[in-house]
Every structure is written in structure tokens, then in C-alpha cells.
Amino acid sequence: AKTMADRDHAAFVSFLSPETIFQGGKGPIRGRDAVASAWKGFYEATNAPFSWRPDRTVVLASGTLASTSGPVFDPSGKRTGTFNSVWRRDPDGKWRVILDSGCPECKCGETGDRE
């Protein structure tokens, strides 16, 4: 989320696993290079076209996998959906996204379905 606010595409890419999969409306985008290319346009304008923030994080006791989810906002601050990301701690100790998906215009998790 900070990479988008900072307009730092290179930093965004550093959080992607080489085998990441981003699931979107046009089908899955597979691999760091493909996701980096698909998202580059979001980082080119002076102002971010959207923002997000995690409001839920769950980590396995082993510390090897985690999930984050939270709201997505348009530039005016209106909530437009929910993101869900699965992270893996790689051998170098850095957390990288392995799966990401969004839920446009829904507010998953706001109806008491949290465990």
C-alpha cells in the first residue's frame, strides 16, 4: 500500500514472488514480470488511482505464510472493494505476495464472518 502512495513501482515489484498470481476481472496474471507490467500504469500518474490498507492480518504459527485483507478506496476516499493477499516468507527472510485477489464493490468480512 505504501508503494502506491509513494508512487514507487520498483518497491511494489520487490514485494512480488517470482511465481505470484494476481487474480482479476480479466483472469489471472501469472509471475512477477507479468504483474509488474500489468501494474506499471497504476504508478505512472502523479496521483494514485486507488489506495488500500490492510485491516486484517493472520500469520501461521510457523511464520512462513500470512494473509492480509482490507478496504480499497478510489482517489476521493470512497470504498470500492476489498483486497486479499497471501504472503510467503522466502528463505532470504523477506515477505512476498504469492496470491492476490480483489472483490470490487464488496465489503467482505464486515458482516461478522471473521474468525
Side-chain angles (χ1 to χ4, degrees):
K2 185 171 179 349
T3 68
M4 181 65 78
D6 291 347
R7 318 303 296 129
D8 190 345
H9 183 256
F12 168 75
V13 174
S14 76
F15 287 105
L16 301 175
S17 166
E19 58 189 348
T20 194
I21 299 173
F22 273 45
Q23 301 176 71
K26 296 180 181 178
I29 304 170
R30 296 176 178 272
R32 177 177 31 223
D33 293 342
V35 172
S37 178
W39 276 60
K40 186 153 181 61
F42 297 138
Y43 285 83
E44 291 176 341
T46 302
N47 297 315
F50 57 89
S51 63
W52 69 94
R53 70 168 185 261
D55 65 3
R56 183 176 184 197
T57 301
V58 180
V59 182
L60 289 179
S62 66
T64 57
L65 288 175
S67 70
T68 56
S69 61
V72 177
F73 304 96
D74 70 13
S76 72
K78 178 184 174 201
R79 185 173 182 163
T80 59
T82 300
F83 80 90
N84 299 283
S85 299
V86 176
W87 299 75
R88 177 177 59 205
R89 187 184 304 237
D90 285 344
D92 65 5
K94 184 162 182 172
W95 287 96
R96 292 188 175 88
V97 176
I98 55 172
L99 296 169
D100 185 88
S101 63
C103 181
E105 298 187 29
C106 77
K107 296 177 183 161
C108 307
E110 286 194 350
T111 58
D113 62 348
R114 295 181 180 192
E115 298 179 41

